[in-house]
Amino acid sequence: FDCVHESGPNSSSQPRVGLALRYMTASVIQTKPIQEMATWISGTKEGSRFEMEPQLPTECTMEDVHRGREAQREAMKREEANYFADKR
């Protein structure tokens, strides 16, 4: 993954929010050193080379929410490590 767009520094007093969505088939091969996580949307997970993030149940508890937040933090840590792996 390489960033195709980036913004300059936020010089306003307002916070900036970013959102990135990448849809791909389960057969995509990761080329970075750390296995990243993915959210399964549809289709089959068979052959996936990604670790699947936990899916929250429809009726979730605070424990479920905590588990989801921990998974999101781990996913971002892995993505950041891979993104900057060749820039160090």
Side-chain angles (χ1 to χ4, degrees):
F1 165 74
D2 289 310
C3 186
V4 294
H5 166 76
E6 63 181 82
S7 299
N10 183 5
S11 59
S12 77
S13 62
Q14 299 297 313
R16 185 181 289 171
V17 176
L19 174 66
L21 301 172
R22 292 179 285 287
Y23 288 91
M24 61 198 139
T25 67
S27 63
V28 168
I29 297 172
Q30 298 183 67
T31 60
K32 298 291 184 172
I34 299 172
Q35 181 187 34
E36 290 194 31
M37 300 172 77
T39 303
W40 177 68
I41 303 295
S42 67
T44 179
K45 299 177 199 175
E46 186 177 322
S48 176
R49 294 170 174 91
F50 292 84
E51 181 178 336
M52 292 297 139
E53 294 175 345
Q55 291 183 291
L56 293 176
T58 304
E59 301 289 329
C60 62
T61 65
M62 286 309 295
E63 184 177 321
D64 294 323
V65 171
H66 178 72
R67 186 171 47 96
R69 287 181 177 156
E70 286 298 317
Q72 194 272 338
R73 277 192 280 277
E74 177 63 24
M76 294 308 300
K77 182 175 129 185
R78 294 180 191 190
E79 184 175 329
E80 180 179 1
N82 280 334
Y83 185 77
F84 293 108
D86 56 354
K87 294 174 176 52
R88 293 180 185 168

